[in-house]
mmCIF file of all heavy atoms in Angstrom:
data_model
loop_
_atom_site.group_PDB
_atom_site.id
_atom_site.type_symbol
_atom_site.label_atom_id
_atom_site.label_comp_id
_atom_site.label_asym_id
_atom_site.label_seq_id
_atom_site.Cartn_x
_atom_site.Cartn_y
_atom_site.Cartn_z
ATOM 1 N N ASP A 230 -18.412 11.300 -2.768
ATOM 2 C CA ASP A 230 -19.234 10.187 -2.278
ATOM 3 C C ASP A 230 -18.697 9.596 -0.970
ATOM 4 O O ASP A 230 -19.184 8.570 -0.497
ATOM 5 C CB ASP A 230 -19.391 9.093 -3.357
ATOM 6 C CG ASP A 230 -18.067 8.417 -3.719
ATOM 7 O OD1 ASP A 230 -17.121 8.470 -2.912
ATOM 8 O OD2 ASP A 230 -17.989 7.819 -4.808
ATOM 9 N N GLY A 231 -17.695 10.237 -0.396
ATOM 10 C CA GLY A 231 -17.187 9.809 0.916
ATOM 11 C C GLY A 231 -16.116 8.727 0.851
ATOM 12 O O GLY A 231 -15.541 8.368 1.880
ATOM 13 N N THR A 232 -15.840 8.188 -0.358
ATOM 14 C CA THR A 232 -14.797 7.156 -0.446
ATOM 15 C C THR A 232 -13.521 7.758 -1.061
ATOM 16 O O THR A 232 -13.565 8.818 -1.687
ATOM 17 C CB THR A 232 -15.282 5.922 -1.256
ATOM 18 O OG1 THR A 232 -15.532 6.303 -2.615
ATOM 19 C CG2 THR A 232 -16.554 5.326 -0.645
ATOM 20 N N CYS A 233 -12.413 7.058 -0.856
ATOM 21 C CA CYS A 233 -11.099 7.606 -1.257
ATOM 22 C C CYS A 233 -10.971 7.747 -2.771
ATOM 23 O O CYS A 233 -11.565 6.967 -3.528
ATOM 24 C CB CYS A 233 -9.983 6.678 -0.794
ATOM 25 S SG CYS A 233 -9.845 6.535 0.974
ATOM 26 N N LEU A 234 -10.156 8.695 -3.174
ATOM 27 C CA LEU A 234 -9.883 8.909 -4.599
ATOM 28 C C LEU A 234 -8.472 8.438 -4.940
ATOM 29 O O LEU A 234 -7.516 8.761 -4.238
ATOM 30 C CB LEU A 234 -9.989 10.399 -4.941
ATOM 31 C CG LEU A 234 -11.342 11.065 -4.719
ATOM 32 C CD1 LEU A 234 -11.231 12.568 -4.965
ATOM 33 C CD2 LEU A 234 -12.395 10.457 -5.647
ATOM 34 N N ARG A 235 -8.380 7.670 -6.033
ATOM 35 C CA ARG A 235 -7.086 7.173 -6.508
ATOM 36 C C ARG A 235 -7.016 7.335 -8.022
ATOM 37 O O ARG A 235 -8.028 7.543 -8.689
ATOM 38 C CB ARG A 235 -6.916 5.681 -6.188
ATOM 39 C CG ARG A 235 -6.829 5.345 -4.712
ATOM 40 C CD ARG A 235 -5.500 5.761 -4.113
ATOM 41 N NE ARG A 235 -5.412 5.361 -2.715
ATOM 42 C CZ ARG A 235 -5.911 6.072 -1.702
ATOM 43 N NH1 ARG A 235 -6.539 7.209 -1.915
ATOM 44 N NH2 ARG A 235 -5.766 5.649 -0.455
ATOM 45 N N ASP A 236 -5.801 7.120 -8.525
ATOM 46 C CA ASP A 236 -5.538 7.216 -9.965
ATOM 47 C C ASP A 236 -5.191 5.810 -10.442
ATOM 48 O O ASP A 236 -4.068 5.340 -10.247
ATOM 49 C CB ASP A 236 -4.367 8.195 -10.163
ATOM 50 C CG ASP A 236 -4.057 8.473 -11.614
ATOM 51 O OD1 ASP A 236 -4.384 7.637 -12.474
ATOM 52 O OD2 ASP A 236 -3.459 9.531 -11.886
ATOM 53 N N TYR A 237 -6.187 5.124 -11.031
ATOM 54 C CA TYR A 237 -5.993 3.730 -11.439
ATOM 55 C C TYR A 237 -5.423 3.683 -12.850
ATOM 56 O O TYR A 237 -6.065 4.132 -13.795
ATOM 57 C CB TYR A 237 -7.321 2.967 -11.348
ATOM 58 C CG TYR A 237 -7.808 2.887 -9.917
ATOM 59 C CD1 TYR A 237 -8.714 3.818 -9.406
ATOM 60 C CD2 TYR A 237 -7.327 1.908 -9.056
ATOM 61 C CE1 TYR A 237 -9.137 3.774 -8.082
ATOM 62 C CE2 TYR A 237 -7.742 1.852 -7.719
ATOM 63 C CZ TYR A 237 -8.642 2.790 -7.256
ATOM 64 O OH TYR A 237 -9.047 2.741 -5.938
ATOM 65 N N ILE A 238 -4.216 3.137 -12.950
ATOM 66 C CA ILE A 238 -3.515 3.144 -14.235
ATOM 67 C C ILE A 238 -3.491 1.725 -14.822
ATOM 68 O O ILE A 238 -3.110 0.767 -14.132
ATOM 69 C CB ILE A 238 -2.085 3.750 -14.093
ATOM 70 C CG1 ILE A 238 -1.256 3.600 -15.361
ATOM 71 C CG2 ILE A 238 -1.321 3.189 -12.911
ATOM 72 C CD1 ILE A 238 -1.658 4.557 -16.445
ATOM 73 N N ASP A 239 -3.894 1.636 -16.057
ATOM 74 C CA ASP A 239 -3.946 0.349 -16.746
ATOM 75 C C ASP A 239 -2.550 -0.266 -16.870
ATOM 76 O O ASP A 239 -1.584 0.417 -17.243
ATOM 77 C CB ASP A 239 -4.536 0.562 -18.139
ATOM 78 C CG ASP A 239 -4.619 -0.726 -18.912
ATOM 79 O OD1 ASP A 239 -5.641 -1.409 -18.779
ATOM 80 O OD2 ASP A 239 -3.655 -1.065 -19.632
ATOM 81 N N ILE A 240 -2.442 -1.550 -16.623
ATOM 82 C CA ILE A 240 -1.134 -2.209 -16.590
ATOM 83 C C ILE A 240 -0.425 -2.212 -17.953
ATOM 84 O O ILE A 240 0.806 -2.127 -18.006
ATOM 85 C CB ILE A 240 -1.287 -3.659 -16.034
ATOM 86 C CG1 ILE A 240 0.061 -4.323 -15.800
ATOM 87 C CG2 ILE A 240 -2.172 -4.521 -16.906
ATOM 88 C CD1 ILE A 240 0.871 -3.751 -14.702
ATOM 89 N N VAL A 241 -1.197 -2.267 -19.034
ATOM 90 C CA VAL A 241 -0.550 -2.261 -20.355
ATOM 91 C C VAL A 241 -0.046 -0.843 -20.676
ATOM 92 O O VAL A 241 1.050 -0.664 -21.219
ATOM 93 C CB VAL A 241 -1.502 -2.802 -21.449
ATOM 94 C CG1 VAL A 241 -0.855 -2.705 -22.826
ATOM 95 C CG2 VAL A 241 -1.876 -4.250 -21.135
ATOM 96 N N ASP A 242 -0.836 0.160 -20.293
ATOM 97 C CA ASP A 242 -0.358 1.543 -20.422
ATOM 98 C C ASP A 242 0.906 1.738 -19.586
ATOM 99 O O ASP A 242 1.880 2.354 -20.031
ATOM 100 C CB ASP A 242 -1.432 2.533 -19.929
ATOM 101 C CG ASP A 242 -2.492 2.830 -20.987
ATOM 102 O OD1 ASP A 242 -2.207 2.641 -22.184
ATOM 103 O OD2 ASP A 242 -3.595 3.266 -20.614
ATOM 104 N N LEU A 243 0.872 1.227 -18.373
ATOM 105 C CA LEU A 243 2.025 1.358 -17.474
ATOM 106 C C LEU A 243 3.268 0.706 -18.094
ATOM 107 O O LEU A 243 4.379 1.258 -18.049
ATOM 108 C CB LEU A 243 1.707 0.695 -16.126
ATOM 109 C CG LEU A 243 2.793 0.735 -15.064
ATOM 110 C CD1 LEU A 243 2.815 2.084 -14.373
ATOM 111 C CD2 LEU A 243 2.589 -0.350 -14.013
ATOM 112 N N ALA A 244 3.064 -0.464 -18.688
ATOM 113 C CA ALA A 244 4.191 -1.174 -19.317
ATOM 114 C C ALA A 244 4.801 -0.319 -20.433
ATOM 115 O O ALA A 244 6.025 -0.239 -20.571
ATOM 116 C CB ALA A 244 3.716 -2.521 -19.859
ATOM 117 N N LYS A 245 3.925 0.343 -21.192
ATOM 118 C CA LYS A 245 4.431 1.178 -22.299
ATOM 119 C C LYS A 245 5.311 2.322 -21.775
ATOM 120 O O LYS A 245 6.277 2.727 -22.431
ATOM 121 C CB LYS A 245 3.265 1.758 -23.100
ATOM 122 C CG LYS A 245 2.596 0.710 -23.972
ATOM 123 C CD LYS A 245 1.511 1.329 -24.829
ATOM 124 C CE LYS A 245 0.743 0.232 -25.565
ATOM 125 N NZ LYS A 245 -0.671 0.562 -25.748
ATOM 126 N N ALA A 246 4.971 2.835 -20.607
ATOM 127 C CA ALA A 246 5.780 3.917 -20.028
ATOM 128 C C ALA A 246 7.213 3.438 -19.794
ATOM 129 O O ALA A 246 8.177 4.201 -19.956
ATOM 130 C CB ALA A 246 5.161 4.402 -18.721
ATOM 131 N N HIS A 247 7.362 2.164 -19.432
ATOM 132 C CA HIS A 247 8.711 1.613 -19.214
ATOM 133 C C HIS A 247 9.497 1.530 -20.516
ATOM 134 O O HIS A 247 10.704 1.769 -20.546
ATOM 135 C CB HIS A 247 8.623 0.224 -18.575
ATOM 136 C CG HIS A 247 8.098 0.266 -17.176
ATOM 137 N ND1 HIS A 247 6.787 0.487 -16.895
ATOM 138 C CD2 HIS A 247 8.725 0.129 -15.983
ATOM 139 C CE1 HIS A 247 6.618 0.488 -15.593
ATOM 140 N NE2 HIS A 247 7.776 0.275 -15.013
ATOM 141 N N VAL A 248 8.804 1.167 -21.584
ATOM 142 C CA VAL A 248 9.474 1.076 -22.883
ATOM 143 C C VAL A 248 9.972 2.475 -23.277
ATOM 144 O O VAL A 248 11.120 2.648 -23.706
ATOM 145 C CB VAL A 248 8.528 0.497 -23.956
ATOM 146 C CG1 VAL A 248 9.215 0.463 -25.320
ATOM 147 C CG2 VAL A 248 8.053 -0.901 -23.550
ATOM 148 N N CYS A 249 9.107 3.481 -23.095
ATOM 149 C CA CYS A 249 9.502 4.864 -23.423
ATOM 150 C C CYS A 249 10.686 5.295 -22.562
ATOM 151 O O CYS A 249 11.621 5.946 -23.055
ATOM 152 C CB CYS A 249 8.331 5.831 -23.177
ATOM 153 S SG CYS A 249 6.911 5.555 -24.229
ATOM 154 N N ALA A 250 10.662 4.947 -21.280
ATOM 155 C CA ALA A 250 11.723 5.387 -20.367
ATOM 156 C C ALA A 250 13.047 4.693 -20.679
ATOM 157 O O ALA A 250 14.109 5.324 -20.667
ATOM 158 C CB ALA A 250 11.301 5.130 -18.921
ATOM 159 N N VAL A 251 13.006 3.400 -20.974
ATOM 160 C CA VAL A 251 14.231 2.666 -21.311
ATOM 161 C C VAL A 251 14.833 3.237 -22.600
ATOM 162 O O VAL A 251 16.042 3.466 -22.701
ATOM 163 C CB VAL A 251 13.932 1.150 -21.460
ATOM 164 C CG1 VAL A 251 15.026 0.447 -22.241
ATOM 165 C CG2 VAL A 251 13.788 0.512 -20.084
ATOM 166 N N THR A 252 13.982 3.501 -23.571
ATOM 167 C CA THR A 252 14.454 4.049 -24.842
ATOM 168 C C THR A 252 15.091 5.419 -24.617
ATOM 169 O O THR A 252 16.145 5.733 -25.178
ATOM 170 C CB THR A 252 13.277 4.140 -25.837
ATOM 171 O OG1 THR A 252 12.713 2.837 -25.962
ATOM 172 C CG2 THR A 252 13.730 4.629 -27.201
ATOM 173 N N ARG A 253 14.463 6.225 -23.779
ATOM 174 C CA ARG A 253 15.009 7.550 -23.474
ATOM 175 C C ARG A 253 16.414 7.429 -22.863
ATOM 176 O O ARG A 253 17.318 8.182 -23.200
ATOM 177 C CB ARG A 253 14.060 8.243 -22.488
ATOM 178 C CG ARG A 253 14.443 9.658 -22.123
ATOM 179 C CD ARG A 253 13.323 10.271 -21.274
ATOM 180 N NE ARG A 253 13.710 11.542 -20.692
ATOM 181 C CZ ARG A 253 13.613 12.716 -21.315
ATOM 182 N NH1 ARG A 253 13.135 12.767 -22.531
ATOM 183 N NH2 ARG A 253 13.983 13.833 -20.718
ATOM 184 N N MET A 254 16.590 6.447 -21.976
ATOM 185 C CA MET A 254 17.916 6.258 -21.350
ATOM 186 C C MET A 254 18.929 5.767 -22.376
ATOM 187 O O MET A 254 20.038 6.277 -22.468
ATOM 188 C CB MET A 254 17.836 5.220 -20.220
ATOM 189 C CG MET A 254 17.185 5.725 -18.967
ATOM 190 S SD MET A 254 17.550 4.708 -17.514
ATOM 191 C CE MET A 254 16.851 3.165 -17.927
#
Side-chain angles (χ1 to χ4, degrees):
D230 64 21
T232 64
C233 296
L234 299 174
R235 294 287 183 276
D236 185 336
Y237 296 95
I238 172 75
D239 180 88
I240 188 68
V241 176
D242 278 338
L243 180 80
K245 286 184 187 147
H247 292 74
V248 177
C249 296
V251 161
T252 304
R253 183 173 170 85
M254 285 198 297

